[in-house]
Amino acid sequence: MSLTIEQWTMLGTWAAPSVAAMGFLLIRNQLRGERESLETQTSWQVYEVGSTILQIFIANPECRPYFYDDKPIPDEEPLRSKVLAIVELVCDLMENVILNRHALDAETYKVWVLYMQGLFNRSPTMRAFLAFENEGYRYSRQLLDLLQAGVNEAVGSVAWLAEQRLLQQRVVRKRGFMVFKAPKRAVQPSGA
């Protein structure tokens, strides 16, 4: 059984779009894989910098209250310079997250946004550092606007945290999940 030229032409007419479509699907799948790889790599890089900052707080525990406990910028040196250096490092990390948000998956980005907004709200030192007349002029408008939006919503405040817990409880109840709390353990006195 031999095919005629018209039959070969018709077969080619039907086969070419099919082969092209399969090629597009393969390219799309490859691009999707590349995108997921980029998101994973970027997430790890962001968390690596975050880990570095935590290491700084471990090495310098006297600086942590200036970021998490509403403690104003210190006046005495060398603590003042140390705190300002750490706040600059933290702000640079935040800027990096904002400017590379397209390379992060949505959930990771959302978690970082809440962290950044909460930290900004609890740190008078960071707010003073990011004031336009200080160092704020050199950071992106996206970062400054995002942090200000967190101030407007009071992200990280006691009232905000209570509201988030209530919302979470409603979601858990609505979905029919039961939440079990571990019983409180009696604390043994040291030396007992």
Side-chain angles (χ1 to χ4, degrees):
M1 173 169 160
S2 167
L3 296 176
T4 67
I5 292 178
E6 288 113 17
Q7 290 171 327
W8 278 108
T9 304
M10 187 180 350
L11 184 63
T13 303
W14 286 97
S18 300
V19 170
M22 287 189 61
F24 284 125
L25 286 173
L26 290 172
I27 290 170
R28 184 190 67 154
N29 287 341
Q30 184 176 1
L31 289 174
R32 184 180 294 150
E34 293 293 324
R35 170 77 180 172
E36 289 171 359
S37 176
L38 176 64
E39 286 177 353
T40 300
Q41 181 181 2
T42 305
S43 291
W44 277 108
Q45 288 172 341
V46 166
Y47 282 110
E48 188 175 316
V49 174
S51 177
T52 301
I53 291 170
L54 288 177
Q55 293 299 321
I56 289 170
F57 285 134
I58 290 169
N60 303 285
E62 70 280 8
C63 296
R64 193 175 191 284
Y66 298 98
F67 294 85
Y68 293 96
D69 298 336
D70 283 321
K71 197 167 182 183
I73 195 166
D75 290 326
E76 66 276 0
E77 289 293 346
L79 181 59
R80 180 181 178 81
S81 293
K82 188 186 289 190
V83 168
L84 287 173
I86 294 171
V87 79
E88 186 168 0
L89 180 65
V90 170
C91 290
D92 288 349
L93 166 67
M94 290 177 173
E95 179 86 318
N96 188 27
V97 170
I98 295 299
L99 296 178
N100 292 296
R101 66 186 170 276
H102 62 278
L104 291 169
D105 66 89
E107 188 64 28
T108 300
Y109 180 69
K110 182 180 176 185
V111 168
W112 275 96
V113 165
L114 289 175
Y115 170 73
M116 292 185 291
Q117 289 175 331
L119 191 62
F120 183 73
N121 285 344
R122 290 186 308 260
S123 178
T125 301
M126 186 176 290
R127 290 192 301 275
F129 177 81
L130 284 173
F132 188 79
E133 59 276 5
N134 293 329
E135 296 293 325
Y137 68 89
R138 67 184 179 95
Y139 288 94
S140 71
R141 191 77 249 160
Q142 295 100 323
L143 174 63
L144 299 174
D145 289 346
L146 180 111
L147 295 175
Q148 187 58 47
V151 169
N152 297 342
E153 297 172 21
V155 174
S157 69
V158 173
W160 183 86
L161 288 169
E163 181 182 328
Q164 296 307 306
R165 285 189 195 106
L166 269 174
L167 290 172
Q168 185 62 31
Q169 289 172 353
R170 288 182 191 143
V171 168
V172 168
R173 276 191 234 125
K174 186 176 184 180
R175 291 184 181 163
F177 295 110
M178 294 190 64
V179 179
F180 295 98
K181 293 185 178 180
K184 291 185 179 180
R185 291 184 174 179
V187 178
Q188 294 288 332
S190 59

